[in-house]
């Protein structure tokens, strides 16, 4: 089933196009990697999908029942203050505010759901700990848990492994793989070739004034794909 | 007993209630303001409040009637200024000192009838019966909105981009925060003085963050610290005949040092 589709849309800021005539679609169960150099349109694409900026031309269509504000978004880490006092549970619970209707506090169901997600992501032991005292990997998992509170269908991850050590990176990728095999659709912006190579089934590549969208195998036969492989030291394939 | 003595004066018990409510409201708002790096806005607003107070005294109109709208409007202006990428802090500093200058000039035109000292550093004598009712209403509105929107204010403070992406209207909560802050400043300024009121917003939050590491605990400790510091400061000012605003701020300062030490020991130990 198709979750998100864009046909010949143009995206950009303040009337200035960054990517023109973009056509893409995300099916339920997909693992889409979004790659490309800095400034080529990845962030613009993310913001457009989230509805933070409108497309300059055309529109992004969402499947029945998927609301734009219930995409499980994992933002780039840099935008969160390092010294913010907050427990893991407080952060995870805040993910459900998009559907929150109660006047005071969270409902019993919301709390139960948060607890379930906390266990599922392996944060059970540190649920009451302070976010600022966690390791980079634990912090990312906390934010991932928060995005799962917002949705059970589609995660949009913006460079989730930036700043993580190799082990934490591998653990996070494994976790994302598990979520995907549980039926959650993944869209991931990344600089790292490994998820694109190992886990993804589709690739959206942005380069200045051009893009590629298609299956992974097809991508790694294109000039852009081969160049990416070479830069990452995987050109022996 | 000194407390019984204080309560036997109706203007002192009135000041006690008003101060308690202002301390509670300001500490809760302060947590969010400090975390959003909006501390300067509180400071700027109190200066603007002083300017408006000065003009109100010259034109001999009710101080609240002029100060309230001027400070509310300025809070939105200051908010926009502080969101600027560059030059925002300088703009706020200029606005603050300009408002202060206008206030001082106005007070000197007003002549002997106006007490510059009371405007700058507060006076518990200035808490009239109507002031008490207004501050009661303002505090009730502040506490109610804060409790209702606690989670939304938290989420839009912690990660506004995520909050926006999940459909939250973050600007609404920022504006609410600005509105409530200006209300609390206007009401608290008469008693604490415009030079000292902003410390009531900032000290409790900063002290609480030294010892607590979750948002709920920071909020609770900030509120408790603020109320306790107010009572100690208030009683001390009565017993030692010190200006009320100044003694309260000094108690806050002592708590800040104490909690910094506790936090430091807790980290080492």
């Amino acid at each position: 089933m198709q979750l998100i589709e864009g046909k010949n849309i143009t995206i950009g800021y303040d009337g200035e196009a960054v990517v023109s005539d973009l056509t893409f679609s995300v099916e339920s169960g997909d693992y889409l990697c979004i790659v490309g150099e800095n400034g080529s349109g990845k962030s613009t694409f993310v913001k457009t999908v989230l509805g933070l900026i409108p497309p300059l031309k055309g529109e992004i269509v969402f499947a029945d029942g998927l609301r734009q504000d219930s995409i499980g978004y994992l933002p780039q880490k840099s935008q969160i203050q390092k010294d913010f006092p907050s427990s893991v549970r407080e952060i995870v619970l805040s993910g459900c505010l998009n559907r929150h209707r109660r006047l005071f506090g969270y409902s019993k169901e919301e709390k139960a759901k948060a607890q379930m997600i906390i266990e599922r992501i392996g944060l059970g032991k540190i649920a009451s700990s302070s976010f600022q005292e966690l390791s980079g990997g634990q912090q990312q998992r906390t934010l991932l848990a928060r995005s799962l509170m917002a949705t059970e269908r589609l995660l949009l991850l913006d460079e989730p492994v930036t700043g993580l050590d190799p082990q934490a990176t591998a653990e996070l990728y494994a976790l994302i793989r598990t979520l995907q095999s549980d039926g959650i659709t993944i869209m991931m912006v990344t600089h790292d070739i490994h998820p694109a190579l190992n886990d993804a089934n589709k690739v959206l590549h942005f380069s200045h004034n051009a893009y590629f969208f298609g299956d992974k195998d097809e991508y790694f036969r294109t000039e852009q794909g081969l160049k990416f492989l070479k830069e990452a030291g995987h050109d022996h394939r | 007993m000194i407390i019984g003595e204080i309560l036997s004066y109706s203007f002192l018990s009135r000041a006690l209630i008003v101060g308690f409510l202002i301390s509670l409201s300001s500490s809760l708002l302060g947590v969010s303001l400090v975390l959003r790096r909006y501390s300067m806005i509180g400071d700027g607003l109190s200066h603007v409040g002083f300017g408006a107070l000065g003009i109100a005294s010259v034109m001999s109109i009710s101080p609240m009637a002029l100060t309230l709208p001027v400070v509310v409007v300025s809070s939105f202006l200051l908010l926009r200024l502080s969101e600027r990428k560059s030059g925002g802090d300088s703009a706020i500093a200029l606005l603050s000192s300009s408002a202060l200058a206008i206030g001082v000039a106005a007070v000197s035109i007003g002549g002997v009838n106006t007490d510059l000292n009371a405007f700058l550093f507060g006076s518990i004598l200035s808490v009239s019966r109507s002031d008490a009712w207004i501050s009661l209403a303002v505090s009730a509105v502040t506490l109610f909105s804060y409790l209702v929107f606690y989670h939304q204010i938290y989420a839009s403070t912690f990660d506004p981009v995520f909050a926006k992406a999940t459909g939250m209207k973050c600007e609404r909560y920022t504006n609410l925060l600005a509105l409530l802050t200006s209300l609390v400043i206007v009401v608290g300024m008469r008693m604490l003085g415009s030079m000292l009121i902003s410390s009531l917003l900032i000290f409790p939050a900063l002290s609480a963050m030294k010892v607590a590491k979750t948002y709920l605990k920071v909020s609770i400790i900030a509120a408790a610290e603020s109320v306790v510091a107010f009572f100690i400061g208030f009683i001390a000012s009565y017993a030692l005949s010190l200006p009320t605003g100044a003694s309260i701020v000094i108690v806050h300062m002592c708590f800040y040092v104490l909690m910094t030490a506790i936090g430091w020991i807790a980290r080492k130990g």
Side-chain angles (χ1 to χ4, degrees), chain B residues 49-254:
Chain B
F50 172 78
L53 214 53
I55 291 172
S57 81
V58 170
M59 293 163 65
S60 38
I61 45 176
S62 152
M64 285 275 187
L66 183 72
T67 322
L68 211 54
V70 168
V71 173
V72 168
V73 170
S74 314
S75 75
F76 294 114
L77 181 69
L78 286 172
L79 213 58
R80 301 290 166 274
L81 283 176
S82 73
E83 275 160 10
R84 274 206 213 155
K85 288 248 157 45
S86 65
D89 53 340
S90 331
I92 291 174
L94 284 183
L95 195 74
S96 295
S97 45
S98 305
L100 193 61
I102 291 170
V104 172
V107 168
S108 84
I109 292 169
V112 285
N113 290 328
T114 43
D115 185 359
L116 181 65
N117 210 39
F119 280 7
L120 285 171
F121 303 109
S123 156
I124 42 170
L125 297 170
S126 67
V127 183
S128 69
R129 199 169 286 268
S130 67
D131 281 358
W133 283 114
I134 292 174
S135 59
L136 196 69
V138 163
S139 311
V141 169
T142 306
L143 293 174
F144 183 77
S145 335
Y146 187 84
L147 290 177
V148 169
F149 298 114
Y150 172 85
H151 293 294
Q152 283 83 351
I153 291 174
Y154 159 78
S156 56
T157 306
F158 177 66
D159 189 351
V161 178
F162 178 85
K164 268 184 212 145
T166 51
M168 196 184 284
K169 303 276 177 290
C170 287
E171 298 79 22
R172 246 187 241 175
Y173 298 106
T174 309
N175 289 337
L176 175 74
L177 211 54
L179 178 70
L180 296 177
T181 305
S182 26
L183 292 179
V184 167
I185 284 179
V186 169
V187 175
M189 203 169 62
R190 307 291 306 286
M191 192 159 103
L192 273 301
S194 47
M195 295 297 102
L196 299 173
I197 181 72
S198 64
S199 62
L200 236 61
L201 290 163
I202 302 165
F203 261 133
L206 280 186
S207 302
M209 274 186 245
K210 294 288 176 191
V211 292
K213 297 292 173 211
T214 74
Y215 193 75
L216 183 66
K217 279 184 196 155
V218 167
S219 307
I220 292 170
I221 292 176
E225 189 271 346
S226 185
V227 169
V228 171
F230 167 73
F231 279 124
I232 296 176
F234 192 88
I235 291 168
S237 86
Y238 180 81
L240 308 171
S241 306
L242 293 170
T244 318
S247 9
I248 293 169
V249 174
I250 290 171
V251 175
H252 273 295
M253 196 185 74
C254 296

